[in-house]
Amino acid sequence: MKLVIAIIQPTKLSAVREALEKIEVTRMTVCDSQGFGRQRGRTEMYRGHEYTTRMLRKVVLEIMVNDDFLERTVNTIASVARTGPEGTIGDGKIFILPAEQSVQITDGYRGPGAV
């Protein structure tokens, strides 16, 4: 089992969710977040005053998958969350972490079947 953590642009959330449903990945947790990387924020105008936003809004997806779903999950997120054919800075990141155990709270079932 692996935990896939994907940080994507909020505008891509619906498209990524729909694409994941098509490959039968139907369980995920979605969290709003803020951060910056190479984008370093952006400059905007409000009522004639220029200001810099350093923390940009992102969406974090947390998806627990069995090993046989890992590659298709990562490839789907990467292809759908990319802006343009080559992507741009700020499209996001995907992290893959090993998961030791999964437990269903309702019945205590453990292991890959609990995912």
Side-chain angles (χ1 to χ4, degrees):
M1 295 179 298
K2 305 286 188 217
L3 176 61
V4 178
I5 300 173
I7 303 170
I8 63 172
Q9 292 185 9
T11 57
K12 295 291 187 170
L13 177 59
S14 293
V16 169
R17 186 186 52 78
E18 290 171 10
L20 288 172
E21 283 180 0
K22 288 180 183 175
I23 63 164
E24 299 178 3
V25 175
T26 57
R27 296 173 180 98
M28 76 174 82
T29 302
V30 179
C31 303
D32 284 321
S33 66
Q34 293 183 16
F36 71 94
R38 290 189 296 171
Q39 282 179 294
R40 306 268 188 241
R42 70 175 82 143
T43 302
E44 297 182 11
M45 294 288 287
Y46 179 72
R47 294 187 177 182
H49 296 283
E50 188 175 284
Y51 69 97
T52 302
T53 304
R54 300 217 189 282
M55 303 294 278
L56 302 177
R57 184 169 176 258
K58 299 290 182 178
V59 174
V60 177
L61 308 177
E62 296 175 349
I63 307 166
M64 181 76 86
V65 294
N66 291 318
D67 291 334
D68 55 333
F69 276 81
L70 179 62
E71 284 305 313
R72 66 179 125 169
T73 301
V74 171
N75 292 338
T76 298
I77 294 169
S79 64
V80 175
R82 183 178 296 126
T83 56
E86 297 174 8
T88 58
I89 292 175
D91 283 350
K93 297 243 192 266
I94 300 173
F95 303 101
I96 303 165
L97 306 171
E100 290 185 27
Q101 189 67 262
S102 177
V103 179
Q104 265 179 280
I105 294 175
T106 54
D107 57 10
Y109 189 78
R110 295 175 176 260
V115 173

